[in-house]
Amino acid sequence: MKLPRHIAWLSALLIAAPAFAAGTDRWDIPVATKTLDNGLTVVVSEDRSAPVVGVSVVYGIGMRLEPRNRTGFAHLFEHLMFEGSANAPEGVFDRVITGGGGRNNGSTRADFTNYIEIAPSSAIEPILWLEADRMRMLDFSESTLKNQQDVVKEEIRNNVQNQPYGGFMWIDIGMHAFQKWENNHDGYGSFEDLESASLEDVKAFHRDYYGPNNAILSLAGDISPDEGFALAEQYFGDIARRETPAAPDFSEGLNTQETRLQQGDKLAQVPAIAVAWKMPDRGSADQAPMAVLGALLANGDASRLYQGLVKGRELALNVDSLYGLTSEWEYDGPTLFTVFALYKPTTDADAMLAAIDEEIAKVVADGVDDATLARVKTRMLADWYNGLESFLSRADALAKLQLMWEDAEVVNRIPGWIDAVTSADVQRAARTYLTRDNRTVIDRKPDAMLQAAAANADTAVLNAQVGDDAADAGADAPDTSGQD
C-alpha cells in the first residue's frame, strides 16, 4: 500500500533522524567533497537507510555555452553519450544498468548537462566504469551521428512542433527576453544547425567539454566518503584533464522596456499567456527573496495568482511558473521567472496582465503578513527536503550545486536563506524585478480565434466604408425638398 505523501515524507525523515541537528527541525544533509589530481570533483552524501546509490555526473556545458551556428549541439551531444564506445558498444550502457535493477537518464540545460543513474549499491562499480569509459572517448561514427540527429529532430517535432503551446513559455519567451545570443537562441536547435554538425565537430566537443576537470561526480546513498573517493580514483583517476574553452560573456542586466507579442497556435484550444521577468543574479542578496516571492505568487492553489486569477476573478483556467528550465537555485547566468496560464476565451491578455499587476502591486504596497509568509516558507522547505529524499535527486542536486556554486554545502544553507527572508525583502524583490519594464509577454492564441478576430475586423472596416460611401452619396444628392 502506498503511504500518503506527507506520511511517507515524515517516515523518511524519521528513518534519517541521525542526520538532524540536535534540538532543531533542520535536516543536515551529509556532504563530503574531494578533487582528484585530474580536476574531477567528487561529492559523496552517505545515507545507509537503503542499499541503493544515486549517481550523477554533471558537465559544465549547456545550451548557452555551445558554439555559435551549432544551436542544439549540447542537447545533441547528450544523446550521443548513449551511443557507446569501443569498450561498451551501443546498448551496453542501458542493458548493464537496467539489468542490475537500476535506471538512468540525462538532460541538457542552460549551464550544464547531467547524466544520472540509480541502482542497488552492489551495482555501483559497473556504473562508474561505464561513466568513466564514456568520459574517456566515445565510438564516433557517421552512422551514430546521423541517427541521433534524426532522434533530436523527431524530439523537437514531438515536444514542440506537434504539441499545443509548444515551448513558448520557455523557448520563445527567452528568445525575446534576452539580448545576447548565448541566452536567447533555441537550445533544442534548428534543423539546419543540427544537420550541418560534422564528425569533427562531435570529436572536438567531447575533447573540449567532457574532460574530468569540467565535471562533477556525485554519489548519494549506501556509500561512505572514503569508499566513494576510492572508487572515483580507481575508475576516473587516470583520465587526463583537458583544456576547456573559456566561457563567453553572457551577462545581462535587467530589461528596461517591456516586450509584448502575439502568436498563433494551430493546436491550442484556449488562449494562453506567458509573462517573464529577469531574475536576480545567482548569489545576490535578492535571490532568496525572489524565490520566496515566486512561491507566494505562483506555487500551488493557495498562491496569490491562483487565488486572484483562477478563483477570484475567474479569468484563468490555471497558473503555473518556471525558473528557466532548472530551479531557483541552480543557474549560473541570466534566467527568468515565468508565469504561465491558460485563460478563458471570454477575456484577453490585457485583463490577465492587469490582474497580475494588481496582485504584484499588493505585495509592493503591503508586503506579506506573517502567517502567509510562514506558510509559504514551510511549503518551500518541505518541497526542498522532499526533493532530497530520493538518492538519485540528492546526488543530482549536489552535483549541480557544486558546479554552480563551487560548494555542494549550499544544500544545507538554502533552508536558512529561505528562513531569513522578511516581508520587506519580498517587497523589495517585487518592486525591483516584477516591473513592467523588466517583463516579456507572449499572448498565444488558437489560430481559429485569430482568424475570427481578423474576419470581424475586416467586416468592421467594410461596414465603415459602406457607411462612409452612403454618407458621401447623401451629401452629393440634389436637394429636391422644395420641388413639385
Side-chain angles (χ1 to χ4, degrees), residues 411-430:
V411 73
N412 290 318
R413 292 199 282 275
I414 286 173
W417 295 346
I418 294 171
D419 270 346
V421 172
T422 66
S423 175
D425 293 332
V426 174
Q427 280 180 292
R428 182 183 71 252

Side-chain angles (χ1 to χ4, degrees), residues 197-218:
S198 70
L199 204 56
E200 289 306 312
D201 291 332
V202 172
K203 292 178 180 178
F205 198 85
H206 187 275
R207 179 199 66 218
D208 291 346
Y209 295 106
Y210 276 75
N213 46 301
N214 197 40
I216 310 295
L217 167 65
S218 179

Side-chain angles (χ1 to χ4, degrees), residues 200-458:
E200 289 306 312
D201 291 332
V202 172
K203 292 178 180 178
F205 198 85
H206 187 275
R207 179 199 66 218
D208 291 346
Y209 295 106
Y210 276 75
N213 46 301
N214 197 40
I216 310 295
L217 167 65
S218 179
L219 309 171
D222 186 24
I223 189 168
S224 72
D226 287 344
E227 291 169 330
F229 298 152
L231 289 172
E233 185 66 51
Q234 177 181 345
Y235 291 105
F236 294 85
D238 65 342
I239 305 175
R241 69 165 56 231
R242 304 196 284 268
E243 185 175 351
T244 301
D249 178 13
F250 44 69
S251 59
E252 294 187 20
L254 301 183
N255 288 334
T256 57
Q257 183 176 355
E258 179 188 34
T259 298
R260 248 184 104 167
L261 63 151
Q262 186 177 85
Q263 295 179 338
D265 192 316
K266 64 182 179 181
L267 299 174
Q269 299 297 308
V270 296
I273 192 169
V275 188
W277 300 265
K278 282 185 175 177
M279 287 270 287
D281 293 338
R282 179 190 58 77
S284 82
D286 287 337
Q287 186 177 8
M290 184 64 225
V292 173
L293 174 60
L296 170 73
L297 290 174
N299 186 2
D301 293 357
S303 66
R304 294 286 181 88
L305 291 180
Y306 186 90
Q307 289 297 315
L309 276 67
V310 178
K311 292 294 188 181
R313 299 171 187 82
E314 297 186 351
L315 302 175
L317 302 174
N318 73 328
V319 172
D320 208 344
S321 62
L322 304 167
Y323 292 95
L325 278 178
T326 53
S327 79
E328 57 269 55
W329 312 109
E330 297 167 349
Y331 61 93
D332 202 30
T335 194
L336 301 172
F337 169 62
T338 304
V339 171
F340 159 64
L342 305 180
Y343 66 88
K344 296 181 179 181
T346 52
T347 188
D348 57 27
D350 287 336
M352 288 289 293
L353 287 172
I356 292 170
D357 285 344
E358 185 178 336
E359 296 300 330
I360 294 170
K362 291 176 184 176
V363 177
V364 172
D366 305 323
V368 53
D369 63 273
D370 292 343
T372 300
L373 186 59
R375 174 184 58 76
V376 170
K377 290 180 181 181
T378 298
R379 174 161 182 167
M380 291 180 71
L381 291 170
D383 288 345
W384 179 247
Y385 289 131
N386 193 47
L388 296 170
E389 281 182 47
S390 160
F391 293 161
L392 181 62
S393 298
R394 190 190 308 181
D396 200 37
L398 291 173
K400 293 172 187 174
L401 293 174
Q402 179 65 38
L403 181 72
M404 300 292 101
W405 298 80
E406 298 183 353
D407 184 3
E409 277 285 354
V410 164
V411 73
N412 290 318
R413 292 199 282 275
I414 286 173
W417 295 346
I418 294 171
D419 270 346
V421 172
T422 66
S423 175
D425 293 332
V426 174
Q427 280 180 292
R428 182 183 71 252
R431 185 170 57 247
T432 305
Y433 300 96
L434 302 193
T435 65
R436 181 187 298 268
D437 288 341
N438 188 40
R439 80 182 178 193
T440 302
V441 180
I442 298 180
D443 183 24
R444 183 97 162 193
K445 291 183 179 295
D447 282 349
M449 285 186 67
L450 294 179
Q451 292 163 4
N456 290 337
D458 290 343

Side-chain angles (χ1 to χ4, degrees), residues 88-112:
E90 181 182 2
V92 170
F93 195 98
D94 288 334
R95 286 199 301 273
V96 169
I97 293 175
T98 58
R103 65 181 191 274
N104 68 89
N105 208 341
S107 68
T108 309
R109 299 294 185 259
D111 299 299
F112 58 82

Side-chain angles (χ1 to χ4, degrees), residues 56-77:
S56 176
V57 181
V58 174
Y59 291 91
I61 174 62
M63 298 170 183
R64 73 165 114 241
L65 301 169
E66 61 193 5
R68 282 182 177 269
N69 302 317
R70 288 292 179 267
T71 60
F73 209 82
H75 180 218
L76 170 65
F77 208 88

